[in-house]
Amino acid sequence: MSSPFPPLQFDLAGLSAFIDGSFPAKARPALGRLVAIAPGHARMVLDPDADMVRPGGIVSGPVLMGVVDVAAWAVVLAHVGPVAMAVTHSLTMAFLRACAVAPVTADARLLKLGRRLATIDVRLWQDSEDRPVAQSTVGYALP
């Protein structure tokens, strides 16, 4: 079965390097690392540290939203190429359960990729995909 999306414009190493070069080195640990790309899909993993924890001993919402945004951007870039100025135009987030200070996986899946807009579903999970900690729908505007 063929993908409804254009072919990938990056391999994993190339997209990782592009993402790394697009953010200040100091900010990168808070944004997760790219671990896989495939047609319509990107996966990132965040290893939270003490600076990312809010009162109550859980990973803070802003940190999780940052990972969601970068994962959505990654799956868009994987298909459209090195367009640094693709920008978020919407992001809705549902926090489903507390996020422990442990690795967090972000699975970003393209729902629609048009000429000017992209819509992405991002699920955050720990330990099991069947128990997501958060779900987000992200919209990107393409230049």
Side-chain angles (χ1 to χ4, degrees):
M1 177 185 253
S2 67
S3 171
F5 304 110
L8 294 175
Q9 301 297 307
F10 280 105
D11 62 12
L12 181 61
L15 184 53
S16 292
F18 185 80
I19 291 170
D20 288 346
S22 296
F23 294 95
K26 191 173 185 178
R28 283 298 295 125
L31 301 175
R33 69 185 186 287
L34 188 66
V35 296
I37 58 171
H41 179 249
R43 177 173 281 181
M44 297 190 73
V45 173
L46 171 70
D47 295 308
D49 64 26
D51 292 334
M52 300 173 192
V53 178
R54 57 156 281 184
I58 60 176
V59 179
S60 76
V63 167
L64 297 176
M65 292 174 88
V67 172
V68 161
D69 194 31
V70 174
W73 188 57
V75 75
V76 170
L77 290 179
H79 290 83
V80 302
V83 181
M85 289 309 296
V87 295
T88 309
H89 76 76
S90 63
L91 189 151
T92 60
M93 188 93 167
F95 298 97
L96 305 173
R97 47 184 57 83
C99 185
V101 183
V104 181
T105 300
D107 277 319
R109 297 191 190 282
L110 277 175
L111 299 176
K112 182 173 192 286
L113 180 61
R115 289 188 342 210
R116 293 282 177 212
L117 297 175
T119 304
I120 306 97
D121 174 75
V122 183
R123 310 272 169 112
L124 299 181
W125 55 274
Q126 295 178 305
D127 300 323
S128 171
E129 290 181 58
D130 297 335
R131 291 187 42 83
V133 296
Q135 184 279 326
S136 183
T137 302
V138 183
Y140 260 83
L142 308 173

